[in-house]
Amino acid sequence: MDGGGETSTAAKEARGLKKGPWTTTEDAILTEYVRKRGEGNWNAVQKNSGLLRCGKSCRLRWANHLRPNLRKGSFTPDEEKIIIELHAKLGNKWARMASQLPGRTDNEIKNYWNTRMKRRQRAGLPLYPHEIQHLGIGNDDEFEIRCFQFPNQDHPNHQNMIQYTNSSNTSPSSSSSSSQPPKELCLDPLISTNPGLNQIPNMFSPYNNSFENDNKQFGFSLTFSSSSSSNELCNPDQLLELMSENLDTNVASKKDIDVLSLMGDHETIPSYFSLGLDTTVLELPSNQTPCTSNIMHDNNVHLDSPAGNSGLLDALLEESRALSRGGIFKDARVSSSGLCEFQDKRVKMDFENRLIDHLSSSHQSSFGKKCYMNSNHLNLYIIFCYNH
DNA sequence: AATCGCGACAACCGCCTTTGT
DNA sequence: TACAAAGGCGGTTGTCGCGAT
């Protein structure tokens, strides 16, 4: 850690490191250093350039003032609106907010917000304008289920996707206007229109168990998006119930699933499963970009176990509940909204692995897992192949 | 002209997470 | 697996300019 060393005032002074405002000469030295050696390894700047600044100071100076594509000057009215909406949704997550505002830094946003907040408090005004108070923390947990198919994994641009959502509120990352219909706002920007979707049976729909198509591969995607807090997300029960509801009635009868295949170029994608929301943006490779129709199904996905559940995952569901009560998930702290926060990364991995294992054994086939994150969503993809 | 208050911005600090060994 | 270094993040403090008094 650098807490006691690099940032210690006494230690820095002892090493002759300078503090306070940067001079143009220092800026020039740092800029030249980054131009030659690139970003990162900031602690080496002092050694290699003679700049009497600590690594963290260099990084901050570069990030906030010297790096290219920074937008300087006052925030535009649009940017201000976005900041207010983002703060209503995210709280003091300045870095995440900055990721939604190209060219702006977390420090700028933080300063803007703090001064604005002081001003409004002094004036006795509410923190948020009335029209966006509904975005407030705690009422916007949302999830989506997407089903997509791969007519040919060599031609992934022909993928199709069906998306369910229970979302009823806006995503600030996708809109600066609160007047847009929520369902449009739920769409992942990665998803584009695919007019062919009409021809594809909805294999996961409770209303259509058809599984007849030429596809060799399909995927099951869960997207959880929660802005209630930075860590709050799905809990195992929710995920398992969703899986149970949407997988059992449609896939359980398929005995011929047998081959695991992670979609696309999986070597290029980190294969981890993180239940924490952060600012990480893992972009889908171009050949994996799921496509979808502009058809948005209105089927809300209920967390209640459906009557028609064939029960394939009931055991897992029950197991998960027992484990939640009994200790395996003892590190998952249930929040007031019924969701939980995983305190230990290993717990997340354990849950995911057990889910995959169970699906694999239940279907006597192999399942794979893949997780992507965009700025707001966590996606767990479970992909598998089947034979006709 | 001096000073006070305020806003805006820059920089620092400490804690936490990630990464490398 | 443990440890240390590096990096990231959010809170806090410092500095400066400007207008009001």
Side-chain angles (χ1 to χ4, degrees):
Chain A
M1 308 294 178
D2 60 6
E6 187 66 47
T7 57
S8 156
T9 302
K12 275 194 282 193
E13 286 174 354
R15 292 165 55 192
L17 294 181
K18 192 184 166 193
K19 288 176 63 177
W22 281 64
T23 65
T24 52
T25 306
E26 289 176 314
D27 282 348
I29 292 171
L30 180 57
T31 302
E32 181 64 12
Y33 179 88
V34 174
R35 190 183 66 79
K36 283 181 178 171
R37 297 170 182 258
E39 296 180 44
N41 202 12
W42 298 108
N43 284 335
V45 175
Q46 182 200 358
K47 187 172 63 182
N48 296 324
S49 71
L51 197 57
L52 296 178
R53 295 281 184 171
C54 70
K56 292 180 79 166
S57 184
C58 292
R59 182 181 64 81
L60 213 59
R61 182 67 184 174
W62 174 258
N64 289 344
H65 300 282
L66 302 178
R67 69 180 162 94
N69 304 323
L70 278 177
R71 287 186 71 175
K72 294 290 185 181
S74 304
F75 287 103
T76 66
D78 275 350
E79 286 176 320
E80 290 178 357
K81 190 163 188 288
I82 291 170
I83 289 170
I84 294 168
E85 289 181 0
L86 286 173
H87 194 275
K89 234 172 143 47
L90 303 175
N92 295 353
K93 299 298 177 186
W94 312 117
R96 284 183 65 189
M97 292 163 77
S99 70
Q100 308 290 330
L101 291 165
R104 298 297 188 177
T105 69
D106 54 353
N107 212 35
E108 273 183 295
I109 297 169
K110 181 172 57 183
N111 285 332
Y112 167 78
W113 182 261
N114 286 339
T115 55
R116 175 190 175 278
M117 196 169 58
K118 285 180 198 166
R119 200 165 52 228
R120 288 188 72 88
Q121 280 178 338
R122 258 200 308 274
L125 296 170
L127 209 50
Y128 305 111
H130 176 74
E131 64 269 19
I132 67 161
Q133 285 190 18
H134 72 279
L135 288 174
I137 291 170
N139 60 358
D140 58 347
D141 301 318
E142 58 189 67
F143 60 86
E144 300 165 3
I145 292 181
R146 295 169 180 160
C147 309
F148 44 92
Q149 302 172 306
F150 308 91
N152 183 333
Q153 73 182 97
D154 295 329
H155 298 84
N157 286 337
H158 293 148
Q159 295 161 356
N160 297 281
M161 174 179 273
I162 297 165
Q163 177 171 321
Y164 299 87
T165 178
N166 74 334
S167 178
S168 60
N169 46 44
T170 63
S171 166
S173 63
S174 56
S175 171
S176 60
S177 165
S178 58
S179 61
Q180 283 184 259
K183 292 201 179 301
E184 289 180 25
L185 296 167
C186 296
L187 281 170
D188 192 299
L190 290 168
I191 302 164
S192 58
T193 297
N194 185 336
L197 184 63
N198 283 322
Q199 321 308 322
I200 305 298
N202 177 357
M203 69 184 93
F204 291 114
S205 166
Y207 309 107
N208 184 356
N209 288 345
S210 172
F211 208 61
E212 304 304 321
N213 56 66
D214 293 332
N215 299 333
K216 300 288 282 183
Q217 189 182 51
F218 68 91
F220 181 61
S221 160
L222 297 175
T223 295
F224 290 89
S225 174
S226 171
S227 51
S228 297
S229 73
S230 59
N231 292 319
E232 186 176 291
L233 255 184
C234 62
N235 67 14
D237 283 1
Q238 276 191 359
L239 181 53
L240 292 172
E241 288 194 32
L242 288 169
M243 293 290 293
S244 180
E245 178 175 332
N246 291 278
L247 195 57
D248 282 357
T249 56
N250 302 286
V251 183
S253 63
K254 297 299 167 186
K255 307 294 186 191
D256 50 2
I257 298 169
D258 68 350
V259 178
L260 158 69
S261 174
L262 295 173
M263 65 179 179
D265 180 18
H266 56 276
E267 280 78 19
T268 65
I269 301 296
S271 180
Y272 68 84
F273 180 61
S274 167
L275 283 173
L277 282 175
D278 59 24
T279 56
T280 305
V281 177
L282 298 179
E283 293 185 356
L284 288 165
S286 59
N287 68 337
Q288 294 185 26
T289 304
C291 300
T292 188
S293 162
N294 52 4
I295 295 172
M296 289 294 298
H297 289 246
D298 285 332
N299 310 46
N300 283 352
V301 179
H302 303 287
L303 294 179
D304 297 327
S305 208
N309 186 347
S310 65
L312 179 62
L313 291 176
D314 281 356
L316 179 57
L317 186 57
E318 185 51 44
E319 177 200 356
S320 172
R321 285 179 175 139
L323 290 170
S324 299
R325 288 187 297 267
I328 294 291
F329 291 118
K330 61 181 181 297
D331 292 332
R333 189 174 71 233
V334 178
S335 73
S336 56
S337 61
L339 303 179
C340 71
E341 301 172 8
F342 287 95
Q343 302 299 307
D344 189 332
K345 189 163 55 179
R346 286 167 298 189
V347 176
K348 305 170 192 171
M349 295 297 294
D350 175 63
F351 169 68
E352 179 194 29
N353 290 333
R354 288 196 302 105
L355 179 64
I356 298 296
D357 288 347
H358 183 91
L359 290 172
S360 298
S361 61
S362 298
H363 289 279
Q364 295 183 321
S365 60
S366 298
F367 282 75
K369 60 194 176 185
K370 187 64 72 178
C371 177
Y372 303 102
M373 293 184 73
N374 61 31
S375 56
N376 282 316
H377 295 121
L378 163 76
N379 293 343
L380 166 63
Y381 293 94
I382 297 174
I383 314 294
F384 51 96
C385 283
Y386 61 93
N387 292 331
H388 290 287

